[in-house]
Amino acid sequence: MTEVLFDEGPHKFILLGFGESSREEGIPSNQYLVVHGTEAAIFDPGGSGLFPVLSARISEWVDLARVRAIFLSHQDPDVSAGLNVWMEVTGAKVHLSRLWTRFMPHMDLVHSENLVPVPDGGATVEVAPGFSLVTLPAHFLHSPGQINVYDPISKILFTGDIGAAERSNGTIYVDNFAEHLPHIEPFHKRYMAGNRALQKWVREVERHDVAVIAPQHGPLYRGQAREDLLRWLFDLRCGMDFYE
Ligand code: FE
């Protein structure tokens, strides 16, 4: 399932796969494509089993060799297991936290030289001339080296596992946060490292003009649901908060 989330001039932000999984037991995940003119970036492309369907969908928008950047929110298998094939086919630079770049060559990457470490404070990445995306720090949510990716044109923030739902009712946007809460609460309480990390992250998000929060799993947040998610996370006790 593909959905165009933003489309203005040369710029498009596309939900490339919604709740996709190549294996029954795998957690369903979302993949995103940002197109600017003839150039593109993708976020968390997932395992190699998803490559055939996702590459076919990307080809409807841009040449695969024009995918200039791949952003990995963290090191988990559902984020990066298919990285080798994506790197070979696209020739893209791969941006992920500096904490993980030195572990990735263990995946027998043919082009490890294309790994680009993201500094702890985040960075602006020029994907192509006139096309930049901003990585924001989201450390300990849940990985020690976790990044978000902000697109200043569409104002969509890709948050990886933050806001991720284990299940959903199949709609692309959350329309009732209270009804959605049971799908996100157990995961966030167990995986997110602690409330201090969440508060720091919410303040970071509020420094930017964010219209949509787009996680790696489950529906997206906009309007009141976006507001409700930020307030809920700001107050959430999780992870180490229970080790007292
Ligand atoms: Fe994860």
Side-chain angles (χ1 to χ4, degrees):
M1 169 174 184
T2 300
E3 178 90 8
V4 179
L5 304 174
F6 179 91
D7 187 354
E8 211 174 278
H11 200 79
K12 293 179 180 62
F13 198 114
I14 299 157
L15 178 58
L16 200 57
F18 182 62
E20 306 284 338
S21 173
S22 58
R23 293 174 196 271
E24 279 291 296
E25 68 273 23
I27 185 159
S29 58
N30 306 335
Q31 296 78 31
Y32 300 92
L33 167 73
V34 188
V35 175
H36 192 89
T38 56
E39 318 292 326
I42 55 175
F43 305 159
D44 287 7
S48 52
L50 287 175
F51 178 80
V53 61
L54 294 181
S55 59
R57 289 177 192 170
I58 292 172
S59 300
E60 291 173 19
W61 301 96
V62 285
D63 188 333
L64 277 178
R66 296 293 188 117
V67 175
R68 303 293 190 194
I70 298 170
F71 290 86
L72 302 180
S73 60
H74 60 303
Q75 80 292 356
D76 278 354
D78 59 321
V79 168
S80 64
L83 193 56
N84 219 355
V85 62
W86 284 105
M87 289 180 84
E88 280 203 67
V89 169
T90 63
K93 299 278 188 203
V94 176
H95 303 265
L96 80 163
S97 165
R98 67 173 187 87
L99 267 59
W100 301 119
T101 43
R102 65 201 171 112
F103 292 88
M104 285 306 186
H106 287 277
M107 294 170 79
D108 294 323
L109 298 179
V110 178
H111 294 291
S112 328
E113 74 278 7
N114 282 341
L115 294 171
V116 182
V118 173
D120 277 349
T124 297
V125 174
E126 188 182 54
V127 177
F131 174 25
S132 291
L133 295 168
V134 184
T135 55
L136 305 183
H139 305 306
F140 304 109
L141 303 172
H142 62 88
S143 165
Q146 184 100 17
I147 58 166
N148 289 177
V149 189
Y150 178 59
D151 173 15
I153 298 179
S154 66
K155 304 188 190 315
I156 296 172
L157 177 67
F158 171 64
T159 57
D161 281 327
I162 305 172
E166 293 172 278
R167 294 175 306 282
S168 75
N169 62 7
T171 60
I172 285 179
Y173 290 98
V174 173
D175 33 44
N176 183 321
F177 186 75
E179 283 174 16
H180 178 64
L181 198 51
H183 302 318
I184 61 174
E185 191 164 31
F187 171 74
H188 285 74
K189 278 187 165 170
R190 181 64 181 90
Y191 282 74
M192 298 302 162
N195 180 259
R196 277 177 65 187
L198 282 171
Q199 292 203 357
K200 192 170 170 63
W201 176 80
V202 170
R203 290 195 182 100
E204 176 71 41
V205 172
E206 285 175 340
R207 273 197 280 276
H208 304 271
D209 184 7
V210 176
V212 175
I213 288 176
Q216 195 211 347
H217 309 280
L220 288 62
Y221 305 80
R222 63 180 175 187
Q224 189 58 47
R226 168 202 166 285
E227 213 43 50
D228 291 346
L229 175 71
L230 292 178
R231 295 283 72 79
W232 177 71
L233 289 172
F234 193 83
D235 293 331
L236 184 70
R237 280 167 52 82
C238 57
M240 293 293 284
D241 299 329
F242 296 108
Y243 271 24
E244 284 169 0

